[in-house]
Amino acid sequence: MTPPSRRSILTAGGLSLATIPLGGLTAGQAAARPKPTAAATLDVISDVQGDLADLGRALDNLAALGRSDALVIAGDLVAQGTVQQYEDLYGTLAAHSHPERVLAALGNHEQYNSDPFDAQVKRFLQYTGMPDVYSQTTAAGLPLLFIGTTAPAKNGTNPPFVTLGASQLDWLDGALATHADKPHVLVFSHHVLPGTVSGTVGPDAARFYDQDFVDEADLLTILGRHPNVVFFSGHTHWDLNRDDWAAKKVVEGGDPAGFTVVNTGFIQTMYGPDGSGGEEALSGAESQGLRLLVGEGGELTVESRDFRRDKLIRTLTL
């Protein structure tokens, strides 16, 4: 872990929040150190959105690195959530080597069609095999929690996208308390927390990314109590080469150590700042994601990877 180079303070839902970018090691720095020995591995991608060629390339890249316990797709599996798009997605998965277990979080693109919300969720659950939009399981020896919206987006294709609701928030609070003795608890959300990772923090942030969750203050309060949380989010498509790809988030009234937040990258199209408080598409050729290495002693190393060039970008050991 590199020392924090910047600290930002903001307010979300009345909470005072501190964000400390973690940066990690560059590929060159990581190459100069012994490679972590992994007892288990986990692969994480997000934002496929119909880009099946880049998905296939990402799967091939990850498979070449060696066996992984599971593949997590952190939302936006498809472009508009149609049956044919799900069929095409799982056809591509079948055509490439990948972990037998494929887990998924619900994204906003799964809802970009005219069907009722219940039908959209039912289709997502049917194809992914997930038990609900929020659930927990175990992979690579770690507890994995998935969260997602329980109601349709209030403004269609504009934020906010996620209403967690009281039942899900209570469940999350209880699940995290149950795993308080674990070195790490991985929480997967397609949508991004305000003021955390690339696109949401710093002078070049896209301001609308601070609006993804209707009940963000309640969510942050719960997460802030648990320093062993590693929160993974997609949605932004911002470059994992940035030093704010991962961060510590400290929530007022929570544990002073804060919890970790990590950007999961993207399969479809890299975005970045437009210089006017928004964002713009930078390249449709880029594609990035993560491999997680779980050590015998419980340490967790997050590797960000460039699928276009089949190379390591950064590493961060927690």
Side-chain angles (χ1 to χ4, degrees):
M1 183 185 303
T2 57
S5 59
R6 178 172 74 249
R7 178 186 294 266
S8 64
I9 306 294
L10 68 154
T11 300
L15 295 174
S16 175
L17 311 174
T19 303
I20 307 168
L22 294 177
L25 302 177
T26 65
Q29 292 169 332
R33 299 189 179 191
K35 184 174 177 59
T37 300
T41 64
L42 187 68
D43 293 329
V44 183
I45 60 174
S46 67
D47 299 278
V48 180
Q49 297 178 1
D51 189 351
L52 301 181
D54 279 342
L55 172 62
R57 185 178 299 109
L59 295 172
D60 293 345
N61 282 191
L62 291 168
L65 297 175
R67 180 186 176 277
S68 180
D69 288 60
L71 171 68
V72 176
I73 308 177
D76 281 7
L77 289 73
V78 290
Q80 288 91 26
T82 67
V83 168
Q84 187 59 57
Q85 289 172 357
Y86 278 109
E87 290 287 338
D88 292 344
L89 172 74
Y90 281 91
T92 300
L93 283 168
H96 294 265
S97 294
H98 67 280
E100 181 177 350
R101 292 186 72 192
V102 180
L103 306 167
L106 179 66
N108 47 294
H109 274 258
E110 279 74 66
Q111 304 164 61
Y112 282 1
N113 57 71
S114 60
D115 294 333
F117 176 70
D118 289 350
Q120 295 167 343
V121 171
K122 181 178 180 180
R123 187 175 302 141
F124 167 80
L125 299 178
Q126 175 186 349
Y127 275 96
T128 63
M130 299 297 288
D132 206 336
V133 296
Y134 62 95
S135 63
Q136 66 175 312
T137 187
T138 301
L142 296 172
L144 277 59
L145 278 61
F146 292 80
I147 64 173
T149 189
T150 57
K154 292 182 176 293
N155 300 308
T157 59
N158 295 313
F161 295 107
V162 183
T163 300
L164 298 172
S167 295
Q168 181 172 184
L169 289 166
D170 287 346
W171 164 84
L172 178 63
D173 198 17
L176 292 177
T178 298
H179 298 301
D181 61 335
K182 304 293 195 305
H184 305 288
V185 180
L186 312 188
V187 179
F188 292 93
S189 163
H190 174 66
H191 292 91
V192 64
L193 294 170
T196 53
V197 294
S198 309
T200 73
V201 68
D204 62 357
R207 300 185 188 100
F208 51 81
Y209 281 129
D210 280 349
Q211 306 168 33
D212 274 8
F213 291 90
V214 171
D215 28 22
E216 66 179 26
D218 292 330
L219 174 58
L220 286 164
T221 297
I222 291 169
L223 295 171
R225 292 197 284 260
H226 300 280
N228 63 342
V229 162
V230 187
F231 188 95
F232 294 89
S233 61
H235 192 50
T236 63
H237 300 235
W238 282 41
D239 191 357
L240 296 180
N241 283 284
R242 293 172 57 107
D243 67 0
D244 55 7
W245 72 290
K248 277 288 185 183
K249 172 62 67 179
V250 181
V251 180
E252 181 182 17
D255 192 292
F259 65 97
T260 305
V261 188
V262 180
N263 179 6
T264 59
F266 54 91
I267 297 298
Q268 168 72 288
T269 306
M270 178 189 290
Y271 280 76
D274 65 4
S276 302
E279 67 177 9
E280 60 184 357
L282 300 181
S283 172
E286 302 297 336
S287 180
Q288 301 174 354
L290 309 175
R291 170 159 280 207
L292 313 185
L293 310 176
V294 184
E296 292 283 2
E299 66 277 7
L300 177 66
T301 299
V302 183
E303 295 184 343
S304 58
R305 303 207 57 95
D306 179 336
F307 297 135
R308 180 185 179 187
R309 298 166 185 83
D310 191 14
K311 70 175 188 177
L312 177 69
I313 302 173
R314 288 176 178 267
T315 71
L316 176 67
T317 298
L318 305 172

